[in-house]
Amino acid sequence: EIPSMFKKENCREFLIQLLKDLLPKNKVDIWILRFNQNVLAIQIGFNHDNKYITYFHSYDINYLKHAPSMILFNHFIDEYCSHDYDEIDFSRGSESYKYRFANTFRNNMGIAINKNITGHMLHKSYNKIKEKVIKDKKLHSFITKYKNKIRKIILQ
């Protein structure tokens, strides 16, 4: 899980300024899924050269079992496909949901600078394990099954 970059004020300010600059140029799409006046999910992304690039999404955890983000993703994917977009890029991160929607995969690169060898080795091992789990559908399914059981226990 990627920690929220919007907890940092400078990241929030960057997004606000970016939206102010790009909204008037029709380069930003904001998708909102509502139910009974409640916002269940939101998606912000950018249009460029007939491509849609996702940037930020969030959802109301009270509706987690209904998968509001997945409903919203299905909707905007259908919309962009019907307008003959060349690509929808889910951008940074390697969350498993991206692999359910994708028909092409690209590797993301990350650079980490650790002060000591132990931190470096832990980070490197974690990334190798994560990469293997994502690529192995059976293993990914097995781990996801138990991750969801634990999540349900915690959210009850």
Side-chain angles (χ1 to χ4, degrees):
E1 192 171 307
I2 298 174
S4 175
M5 64 181 143
F6 299 103
K7 289 182 179 180
K8 295 180 181 177
E9 185 176 346
N10 62 338
C11 291
R12 286 192 309 270
E13 291 300 321
F14 172 76
L15 179 61
I16 290 168
Q17 190 59 50
L18 193 61
L19 293 174
K20 283 180 180 177
D21 291 346
L22 296 179
L23 272 169
K25 298 174 184 173
N26 291 324
K27 293 287 188 182
V28 177
D29 283 348
I30 300 173
W31 294 85
I32 300 172
L33 177 65
R34 294 179 190 266
F35 178 72
N36 290 339
Q37 301 304 316
N38 296 320
V39 173
L40 304 188
I42 186 167
Q43 165 70 43
I44 297 173
F46 306 105
N47 294 298
H48 181 67
D49 287 342
N50 213 38
K51 296 177 185 174
Y52 177 72
I53 303 156
T54 65
Y55 182 72
F56 170 79
H57 73 267
S58 187
Y59 60 90
D60 185 333
I61 61 168
N62 294 315
Y63 295 90
L64 179 64
K65 69 179 182 177
H66 302 291
S69 288
M70 298 304 111
I71 293 168
L72 191 58
F73 289 171
N74 278 310
H75 182 73
F76 75 70
I77 289 170
D78 285 345
E79 185 69 20
Y80 292 121
C81 287
S82 72
H83 286 91
D84 292 327
Y85 269 57
D86 296 327
E87 181 177 327
I88 298 169
D89 183 341
F90 283 99
S91 67
R92 72 193 195 296
S94 57
E95 295 82 7
S96 60
Y97 72 86
K98 295 176 182 181
Y99 293 87
R100 289 194 301 254
F101 292 107
N103 58 7
T104 300
F105 301 100
R106 295 187 190 119
N107 288 328
N108 287 329
M109 298 294 288
I111 297 173
I113 300 171
N114 296 291
K115 291 182 180 179
N116 60 50
I117 190 69
T118 305
H120 170 72
M121 295 306 289
L122 285 171
H123 185 78
K124 189 174 178 179
S125 299
Y126 170 79
N127 284 336
K128 282 188 182 263
I129 291 168
K130 185 176 176 182
E131 185 178 318
K132 285 188 184 297
V133 167
I134 287 171
K135 288 181 178 177
D136 184 327
K137 291 193 185 292
K138 281 186 176 180
L139 182 59
H140 186 264
S141 176
F142 176 80
I143 289 174
T144 301
K145 175 181 168 185
Y146 287 99
K147 181 177 81 174
N148 289 337
K149 284 183 178 185
I150 292 167
R151 182 180 287 150
K152 285 180 184 178
I153 290 168
I154 291 170
L155 293 176
Q156 286 179 348

